[in-house]
Amino acid sequence: MNMMNMMGAIQNPQMYFINELARQNPEAMKQCQSMFEGKSRKQQVSALRQLYKSKGMDLDAMAKQWGVQI
């Protein structure tokens, strides 16, 4: 990791994480974007909750663990 990447990760860790996922898994990122495209925030959160529930996970608990407010 170069110095610029490190500074970006420190300043905005969520965006850094998303960018790294997109870089490493471009097809998964495209699928994710198409899943949420054209939906309201409420619809996106609802779809994400359903996805997490289908995988036996809790979106709110995961978000809290990472310091993300939904």
Side-chain angles (χ1 to χ4, degrees):
M1 175 183 285
N2 67 32
M3 185 61 88
M4 292 302 289
N5 287 347
M6 186 168 55
M7 297 264 304
I10 291 169
Q11 291 176 349
N12 192 344
Q14 293 169 353
M15 187 54 69
Y16 177 78
F17 180 69
I18 290 170
N19 288 336
E20 278 299 301
L21 283 176
R23 186 181 64 77
Q24 293 174 10
N25 302 298
E27 290 302 316
M29 189 64 172
K30 286 179 188 175
Q31 183 181 7
C32 183
Q33 287 173 329
S34 68
M35 183 176 157
F36 293 111
E37 188 174 45
K39 293 185 178 179
S40 70
R41 184 181 188 290
K42 185 176 180 177
Q43 292 170 319
Q44 291 174 356
V45 171
S46 178
L48 199 53
R49 278 200 172 98
Q50 289 175 349
L51 177 62
Y52 268 69
K53 188 175 181 179
S54 74
K55 302 293 182 182
M57 299 165 55
D58 180 5
L59 175 64
D60 295 307
M62 183 68 71
K64 187 176 180 180
Q65 174 185 347
W66 289 96
V68 176
Q69 196 171 27
I70 298 177

